[in-house]
Amino acid sequence: MQPESLMMSYGYKPELSEGAIKCPIFQTSTFVFKSAEEGKAFFEIAYGLRDRKPMEEPGLIYSRINNPDLEILEDRLSLWEQAEDCAVFESGMSAISTVLLEFLKPGDLILHSGPLYGGTDHFIHYFLRKIGVHALEFHAGQNRDEVIDTVKDSGLAGQLGMIYVETPANPTNSLIDIGSCRKIANEFSAAGRRIPIAVDNTYMGPLWQHPLKLGADFSLYSATKYIGGHSDLIAGAVCGSKENIKRVKTLRTLLGNMAGPWTGWLLLRSLETLKMRMEKQAANARVVAGFLKDHPKVEKVYYLGVLDERDGEQFEIYRKQHSSPGAMLSFDIRGGEAEAFRFLNSLRLIKLAVSLGGTESLAEHPATMTHSAVDRAYLRKMSVTEKMIRLSIGVEHVDDLLHDIGQALDK
Ligand SMILES: Cc1ncc(COP(=O)(O)O)c(C=O)c1O
């Protein structure tokens, strides 16, 4: 069966919850053991003190270690991602930082794509650097040999510990070839040591891009965005192999940055409508992009659906890696910051706010908002200038969106 058919039931047994059709919120810090022997057995499994016996299930102990809302949510997210396992967190940043902390150590090199989400960029360049992790950047358009040479020239090739990729990049929608990253990782992998690839899949997943199938080891999410989908919660997730997620969950237990039961329950509810929401958002985005592309006040549209053969490798990656152009787009307005601000201040239906992926459409100005902490010269090089506006398209009637954008552009 398809994931959307299973989101209402998968992993939940009504008979364990008084027959309730919906999974209740297990708003509890701790769980009662039937006996001391049972408590001992649960801890032995949770702490890896012995292997599980055939048919032995890990028991519920304490909500920092496990909780039914989170476990069912993780099983359901794994279905979308076709992953062996998943771990959910209290934010996208906690999912990202936990994976980086678990799989990198002082002296390692992280090779990452650019531009990155501001929080990730800051974590890599300020926090990881402070604990002795080196960083090297590559971007869309660089060919594989060039990237391999950059790693070799850094003198740190032997210490390459992870490749971290954000694709499509926020806010430019530029694409990185995940399969090609696997080949780069393999080039530096010594026998028995696989260099992991982590992909921030927030923009496209879990519907339209499946990084694990393309050679990545981790698919990371700000679940605050499409997965949550209603701009009413903060959460994160990571999907991958059982072995890798076990390591992630161990560190999560120690850092205590798992999502709470209430957030888990809200996400379960969100997953029931995930596909409908995302498909409607993508259909709206296609119309909005077409409108912007032909508008005299618009200089350029950054949207995967406008790519064609003339865009060369970017178009090839889009065709190979995605099943939809998604619902995120940016555009350059004719003018600069003043014109961009006038447009943003004139919107009536679309709200001026950061974040993305929710049911309501949002607009923001990356250069002075989400990416304001990133070096100006670097942003310019990445085409993120004062004239760029980012739109996250929601589920409204598309005619109302066009009307709102049209009247704001007229101003
Ligand atoms: C692409 C991307 N990754 C990660 C994050 C961080 O997620 P959170 O805000 O849920 O911590 C964001 C937040 O905007 C994002 O846009």
Side-chain angles (χ1 to χ4, degrees):
M1 280 188 239
Q2 299 297 314
E4 63 267 34
S5 308
L6 297 170
M7 284 307 108
M8 285 62 78
S9 59
Y10 189 72
Y12 170 64
K13 296 190 183 118
E15 64 271 23
L16 296 181
S17 297
E18 309 273 6
I21 181 117
K22 287 295 169 198
C23 177
I25 306 173
F26 288 88
Q27 190 69 48
T28 184
S29 57
T30 195
F31 296 85
V32 178
F33 305 133
K34 289 193 190 102
S35 64
E37 288 76 10
E38 185 185 71
K40 178 183 174 190
F42 287 178
F43 270 95
E44 283 171 346
I45 300 301
Y47 287 179
L49 303 179
R50 64 167 171 82
D51 289 335
R52 259 197 259 172
K53 294 177 192 153
M55 309 299 284
E56 188 180 18
E57 291 288 329
L60 293 162
I61 298 176
Y62 182 67
S63 284
R64 181 159 47 77
I65 300 171
N66 49 15
N67 176 286
D69 294 300
L70 298 202
E71 289 187 343
I72 296 168
L73 172 63
E74 287 164 352
D75 289 347
R76 291 185 188 174
L77 274 173
S78 301
L79 280 186
W80 285 107
E81 197 75 47
Q82 295 170 33
E84 283 177 17
D85 207 353
C86 170
V88 289
F89 287 84
E90 63 184 355
S91 68
M93 277 316 300
S94 52
I96 292 166
S97 53
T98 303
V99 168
L100 296 181
L101 285 173
E102 176 58 30
F103 287 86
L104 289 168
K105 58 182 184 316
D108 275 357
L109 171 70
I110 178 170
L111 174 68
H112 69 85
S113 66
L116 290 178
Y117 167 66
T120 312
D121 187 86
H122 199 86
F123 187 76
I124 291 174
H125 291 106
Y126 293 88
F127 185 79
L128 289 185
R129 181 169 293 166
K130 204 169 66 177
I131 61 167
V133 174
H134 309 276
L136 204 57
E137 178 173 322
F138 68 107
H139 18 87
Q142 275 188 282
N143 71 36
R144 190 156 64 234
D145 290 339
E146 229 179 292
V147 180
I148 289 173
D149 286 346
T150 315
V151 175
K152 285 182 179 160
D153 293 347
S154 72
L156 297 166
Q159 287 129 273
L160 183 61
M162 181 184 284
I163 300 181
Y164 184 95
V165 174
E166 195 175 304
T167 183
N170 172 13
T172 55
N173 270 330
S174 57
L175 299 176
I176 301 287
D177 186 334
I178 298 169
S180 179
C181 289
R182 183 73 265 154
K183 291 188 180 133
I184 295 170
N186 291 347
E187 175 85 18
F188 297 102
S189 294
R193 191 178 79 93
R194 180 181 167 94
I195 294 171
I197 299 175
V199 176
D200 184 328
N201 204 26
T202 299
Y203 254 48
M204 277 292 167
L207 239 63
W208 303 317
Q209 175 173 265
H210 292 99
L212 303 179
K213 280 201 210 159
L214 299 164
D217 300 278
F218 298 103
S219 180
L220 285 155
Y221 288 99
S222 167
T224 311
K225 311 299 189 300
Y226 289 102
I227 294 174
H230 296 75
S231 307
D232 56 5
L233 58 84
I234 299 279
V238 54
C239 296
S241 69
K242 267 205 178 326
E243 198 185 338
N244 283 339
I245 298 299
K246 190 173 171 203
R247 283 180 61 181
V248 172
K249 282 186 177 169
T250 302
L251 184 57
R252 183 184 69 173
T253 294
L254 297 172
L255 295 174
N257 55 1
M258 70 296 152
W262 172 228
T263 299
W265 185 88
L266 281 171
L267 287 167
L268 284 175
R269 187 170 181 158
S270 292
L271 283 185
E272 297 188 11
T273 54
L274 179 78
K275 192 171 181 195
M276 285 194 267
R277 283 187 280 111
M278 289 183 76
E279 284 179 345
K280 170 72 176 161
Q281 288 170 271
N284 279 353
R286 197 182 284 276
V287 180
V288 170
F291 175 79
L292 287 171
K293 203 165 157 269
D294 296 331
H295 200 286
K297 300 265 176 73
V298 173
E299 210 172 275
K300 183 172 177 185
V301 176
Y302 303 78
Y303 166 67
L304 296 183
V306 298
L307 294 175
D308 62 25
E309 277 82 8
R310 286 167 296 178
D311 296 292
E313 196 208 15
Q314 286 288 293
F315 182 58
E316 281 310 307
I317 303 172
Y318 165 56
R319 283 218 303 212
K320 174 165 80 173
Q321 229 161 254
H322 304 97
S323 56
S324 161
M328 287 300 298
L329 58 96
S330 299
F331 67 96
D332 288 341
I333 200 162
R334 283 197 195 284
E337 184 178 296
E339 288 74 10
F341 278 16
R342 199 176 318 145
F343 170 82
L344 290 167
N345 291 336
S346 303
L347 289 168
R348 291 193 201 131
L349 176 67
I350 300 175
K351 296 288 176 272
L352 172 53
V354 298
S355 200
L356 59 104
T359 41
E360 65 280 276
S361 295
L362 300 177
E364 67 113 3
H365 190 245
T368 59
M369 295 171 192
T370 41
H371 293 66
S372 54
V374 183
D375 178 63
R376 277 284 142 140
Y378 172 81
L379 281 184
R380 205 166 282 281
K381 208 167 100 187
M382 295 293 128
S383 308
V384 183
T385 64
E386 289 73 17
K387 59 189 169 182
M388 180 183 269
I389 289 159
R390 189 187 77 179
L391 295 177
S392 167
I393 302 297
V395 300
E396 301 90 342
H397 196 293
V398 75
D399 291 349
D400 294 330
L401 292 176
L402 296 187
H403 177 78
D404 197 28
I405 293 169
Q407 65 80 26
L409 282 171
D410 288 347
K411 298 251 170 59

